[in-house]
Amino acid sequence: MKVIFAGTPDFAAAALKAIAEAGFDIPLVLTQPDRPKGRGMQLQASPVKQMAESLGLAVAQPASLRNEEALALLQAQNADVMVVAAYGLILPQAVLDIPKHGCLNIHASLLPRWRGAAPIQRAIEAGDAETGICIMQMDAGLDTGAVISEHHYPLKPDETSASAYQALTELGASAIVTDLQQLAKNGSLSAVAQTENNATYAQKLSKEEAKINWQEPAKIIERKIRAFNPAPAAWTVWQDAPLKIWQAKVVNQSGRAGEVLSFDAEGLVVACGEQALRITELQPAGSKRMNIAAFAAGRQIEAGSLL
């Protein structure tokens, strides 16, 4: 069975590797064009391109799929199915119609909850008890296609987007291989249409929304800290500069919102709109991430001061 693959980040690269290792014929891999990265702003290939090249697979990096050249390239592959995972380009209907069995998407949520760009982060931010992977038959809408299979992942109380991302990367790779094997065996896949009444949208994250509002309850802020880890990272202002907050626990203390209640090698305790947070890992501007003991060495924040 011929499988075109389209994806860009390491979430997708893991799926590409799993599909290749399962023995499927992959005549073409699509990924985003190389982007400048790092201090030197050198062009860097995406994780999917790097994986494809290590597997000896043909790679194309069109800036758009809305042109005759891209359509002709895809049609020439005579593919049975196309697998899409965090590709980053919209697939027009003309592309969706090219493979014999259409296009399958690996989406990191339990659809129809958290359609869109940041499903893992929004699930953690909202306090969801679980998330997961859905393999979806793509249509022209935004993550609105019928669901072929869903795979649940319980979110731990201390779950960050980083840890959930890694778990769902592995789950997605396994799930798509299972469904492709079913397609190869049976010649078709059953799918269940999504219901619109439970749909939610996972909007892309911004640095501005990651700024901590100390007026919010501590439990809400704590979830945001975990949701925005590793990016864009929750932050506040200390000494007129951004201070990133990487880890904190809710504590049953109170004070003015943003007031420092105590500061020592055990934690920086800051009052919130309800209760308080004990911050145990942070990152001052121009420094690396550090635990609170390292931060406290040589630094002083007076109780009663405001962040």
Side-chain angles (χ1 to χ4, degrees), residues 151-174:
H151 311 264
H152 294 244
Y153 174 73
L155 290 166
K156 299 183 289 293
D158 61 348
E159 195 85 60
T160 66
S161 288
S163 62
Y165 182 92
Q166 182 58 44
L168 292 174
T169 295
E170 297 171 8
L171 187 58
S174 172

Side-chain angles (χ1 to χ4, degrees), residues 108-110 112-114 118-132 153-157 159 198 200 202 223 226:
S109 82
L110 299 175
R113 188 161 177 80
W114 304 127
I120 298 173
Q121 297 93 329
R122 297 304 181 189
I124 293 173
E125 182 187 19
D128 290 1
E130 64 174 357
T131 186
Y153 174 73
L155 290 166
K156 299 183 289 293
E159 195 85 60
N198 295 323
T200 56
R223 293 205 302 250
R226 292 187 287 110

